[in-house]
């Protein structure tokens, strides 16, 4: 499948809807917490066990993005979106079979492993394409590309809750909900497959002149040898761990926090909280990444990590005494979480250039895989141990939040250590190739 080239006069503003159709679909992963209580009840699982499909999905997201990044760059966005459609939808169908048979391992395999591959390939499929279409505003472009992933739960959370209410929260009801998800997302993602285009001057498109990239250019393999890559890896990992720790357990967390108060949180309200977090996640991706075009990538990450630590401290100290404070702080943390994802491709472009930014981005997403295990493990394991010790309510999460504050501080320090890449890592080949191509064109 060759990359579909835009015809003359094609508007670049038709490409973001293609990206959104895929990212809004795979963004359902952020609504997984809606399925946690029904699965725990229907299959007798602990909180740690019910988080496993989500954790494995995030692990496979990072691994498939890392190993498939170069292939996605070569095959193009339409191929990548098609692979994402097949894997993500198949994951739901396998999960539906697993829930129907009450075989939890099949849910883990389907949603986590197969669906996780769809998450990774689908996540990176439009990023480099949109950077090529919007070289003048890379932060905004990556915000658009990734905004839908953050907003997926805004649709999926209430939709999933309504299906579980209509179909039932037993194993057969969960299976039917998974089935509807798989079929519906296949149709929606197909719109992106049909609509996406690459610009005529993109690499790999024959018969068109290519502009020489400006600024430092570093290959994906060489980027792994720089301290800048690994500092940014730590920055992303810490920021994601802090956000995903709340997001994965959002519905049961807000219920636990106010279970012993005069205003407990209902199941419907908890699902609404998940949707609000998704909205903040989505808004942060376009809002904060666009802001980074104005104030710089390092400065915006100072906000994500420094203010994020303050928000966690406020929740730990006063969250159970004020529902608005808890919700507000969680929304800010999730906006930083989403903003961090959307800003990092532009940060990579600033450090390593556009030469292989998609492949470098894919490798960096292994930080997300690590955080996808680390964040839920910290929150769920500590909550399970605290519950076994007889504690309840907000005390289930106090230690987890202190750990999150420490991780954000580590990320803040790593961000401060990032400097421009040493010229010895630069690759002159892309610029030289463009110069030769231009000279040949002029001589012809």
């Amino acid at each position: 499948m060759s990359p579909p080239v835009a015809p003359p006069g094609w508007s670049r503003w038709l490409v973001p809807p293609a990206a959104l159709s895929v990212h809004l679909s795979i963004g359902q992963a952020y609504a997984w917490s809606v399925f946690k209580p029904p699965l725990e009840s229907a299959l007798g699982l602990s909180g740690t066990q019910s988080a496993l499909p989500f954790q494995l999905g995030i692990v496979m997201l990072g691994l498939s993005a890392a190993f498939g990044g170069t292939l996605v760059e070569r095959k193009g966005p339409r191929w990548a979106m098609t692979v994402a459609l097949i894997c993500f939808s198949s994951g739901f169908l396998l999960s539906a079979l697993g829930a129907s048979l009450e075989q939890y391992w099949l849910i883990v395999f389907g949603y986590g492993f197969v669906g996780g591959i769809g998450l990774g390939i689908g996540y990176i499929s439009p990023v480099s394409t949109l950077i090529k279409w919007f070289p003048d505003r890379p932060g905004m472009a990556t915000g658009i590309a990734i905004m839908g992933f953050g907003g997926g739960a805004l649709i999926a959370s209430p939709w999933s809750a309504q299906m579980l209410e209509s179909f039932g929260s037993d194993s057969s009801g969960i299976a039917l909900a998974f089935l509807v998800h798989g079929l519906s997302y296949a149709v929606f993602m197909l719109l992106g497959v049909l609509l996406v285009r690459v610009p005529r001057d993109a690499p790999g498109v024959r018969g068109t002149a290519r502009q020489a990239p400006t600024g430092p250019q570093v290959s994906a393999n060489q980027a792994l040898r720089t301290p800048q890559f690994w500092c940014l890896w730590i920055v992303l990992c810490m920021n994601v761990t802090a956000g995903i720790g709340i997001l994965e357990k959002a519905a049961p967390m807000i219920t636990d926090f106010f279970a012993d108060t005069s205003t407990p949180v209902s199941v419907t309200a908890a699902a609404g909280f998940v949707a609000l977090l998704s909205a903040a996640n989505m808004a942060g991706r376009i809002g904060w990444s666009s802001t980074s075009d104005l104030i710089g990538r390092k400065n915006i990450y100072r906000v994500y990590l420094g203010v994020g630590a303050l928000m966690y401290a406020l929740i730990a100290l006063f969250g159970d005494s004020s529902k608005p404070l808890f919700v507000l702080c969680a929304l800010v943390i999730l906006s930083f979480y989403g903003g961090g994802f959307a800003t990092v491709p532009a940060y990579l472009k600033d450090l390593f250039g556009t030469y292989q930014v998609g492949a470098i981005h894919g490798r960096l997403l292994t930080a997300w895989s690590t955080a996808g295990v680390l964040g839920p493990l910290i929150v769920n394991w500590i909550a399970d141990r605290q519950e076994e010790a007889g504690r309840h309510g907000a005390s289930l999460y106090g230690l987890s939040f202190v750990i999150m504050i420490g991780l954000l501080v580590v990320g803040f320090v790593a961000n401060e250590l990032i400097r421009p890449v040493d010229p010895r890592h630069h690759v002159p080949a892309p610029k030289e190739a463009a110069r030769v191509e231009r000279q040949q064109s002029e001589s012809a």
Side-chain angles (χ1 to χ4, degrees):
M1 183 180 292
S2 60
V5 181
W10 181 270
S11 173
R12 64 179 182 173
W13 293 104
L14 293 174
V15 180
L20 287 173
S21 70
V22 172
H23 276 231
L24 281 171
S25 299
I26 63 177
Q28 183 280 334
Y30 285 144
W32 177 254
S33 65
V34 175
F35 286 102
K36 282 172 62 67
L39 282 170
E40 291 168 15
S41 176
L43 302 180
L45 307 173
S46 67
T48 302
Q49 290 173 320
S50 66
L52 185 57
F54 175 82
Q55 289 176 289
L56 181 57
I58 299 301
V59 169
M60 294 309 301
L61 186 158
L63 293 178
S64 61
F67 290 104
T70 303
L71 189 61
V72 169
E73 287 276 291
R74 186 168 70 248
K75 294 283 190 178
R78 177 169 288 177
W79 175 88
M81 290 179 177
T82 302
V83 172
L85 184 160
I86 294 171
C87 292
F88 189 66
S89 297
S90 297
F92 267 113
L93 299 182
L94 288 170
S95 297
L97 180 62
S100 179
L101 299 176
E102 297 188 358
Q103 295 293 318
Y104 184 59
W105 70 269
L106 194 52
I107 299 176
V108 175
F109 175 75
Y111 189 92
F113 185 82
V114 178
I117 295 173
L119 288 178
I121 300 299
Y123 187 86
I124 63 174
S125 62
V127 172
S128 64
T129 301
L130 274 170
I131 288 179
K132 294 181 179 74
W133 278 109
F134 295 87
D136 51 330
R137 286 176 280 182
M140 185 209 70
T142 53
I144 292 175
I146 302 171
M147 179 177 65
F149 193 89
L154 190 63
I155 299 170
S157 180
W159 183 38
S160 300
Q162 182 60 49
M163 277 195 286
L164 290 171
E165 183 177 338
S166 300
F167 301 151
S169 57
D170 57 358
S171 58
S172 61
I174 296 171
L176 189 53
F178 282 154
L179 177 63
V180 173
H181 275 74
L183 297 177
S184 299
Y185 284 133
V187 174
F188 195 58
M189 293 173 75
L190 183 61
L191 298 176
V193 172
L194 298 176
L195 188 60
V196 72
R197 299 287 189 279
V198 297
R200 298 185 65 80
D201 61 349
V205 177
R206 296 182 177 179
T208 59
R210 243 184 292 164
Q211 288 185 331
T214 59
Q217 302 297 323
V218 182
S219 69
N221 289 336
Q222 193 66 23
L224 296 179
R225 299 184 175 95
T226 66
Q228 287 83 356
F229 178 89
W230 295 107
C231 283
L232 194 52
W233 191 97
I234 293 172
V235 167
L236 183 63
C237 184
M238 299 301 100
N239 193 57
V240 172
T241 300
I244 213 168
I246 287 181
L247 192 59
E248 186 274 334
K249 201 175 175 66
M253 181 182 290
I254 193 172
T255 302
D256 290 338
F257 248 80
F258 299 98
D260 299 330
T261 68
S262 58
T263 57
V265 177
S266 66
V267 174
T268 303
F273 174 63
V274 175
L276 279 177
L277 292 180
S278 178
N281 187 355
M282 187 175 184
R285 290 173 186 243
I286 184 64
W288 292 121
S289 62
S290 297
T291 303
S292 76
D293 286 335
L294 302 175
I295 69 173
R297 321 303 172 196
K298 177 173 282 192
N299 285 334
I300 201 68
Y301 272 97
R302 285 168 174 155
V303 174
Y304 298 156
L305 300 161
V307 179
L310 176 61
M311 293 298 103
Y312 256 115
L314 289 175
I315 293 178
L317 294 173
F318 310 111
D320 59 339
S321 61
S322 173
K323 196 176 296 182
L325 177 66
F326 178 91
V327 172
L328 178 62
C329 290
L331 292 177
V332 171
I333 290 171
L334 263 295
S335 76
F336 292 161
Y337 169 82
F341 277 123
T343 308
V344 82
Y347 209 162
L348 288 171
K349 173 186 173 294
D350 294 346
L351 291 170
F352 303 109
T354 59
Y355 175 39
Q356 291 188 336
V357 66
I360 298 172
H361 183 220
R363 286 161 171 77
L364 190 74
L365 290 182
T366 54
W368 192 357
S369 296
T370 303
V373 174
L374 192 60
L377 182 63
I378 290 171
V379 174
N380 284 288
W381 187 84
I382 291 177
D384 288 345
R385 300 292 83 76
Q386 298 285 48
E387 189 173 9
E388 290 174 1
R391 296 182 176 85
H392 52 84
S395 61
L396 296 175
Y397 304 98
L399 179 57
S400 301
F401 290 173
V402 172
I403 293 174
M404 295 301 179
I405 293 170
L407 294 178
L408 287 168
V409 171
V410 170
F412 190 94
V413 173
N415 184 53
E416 294 301 308
L417 295 176
I418 295 177
R419 299 289 186 272
V421 176
D422 191 286
R424 73 176 186 275
H425 297 292
H426 295 180
V427 179
K431 187 173 182 178
E432 287 298 313
R435 183 180 61 80
V436 172
E437 183 179 343
R438 185 169 57 251
Q439 289 176 345
Q440 291 174 345
S441 177
E442 290 173 353
S443 63

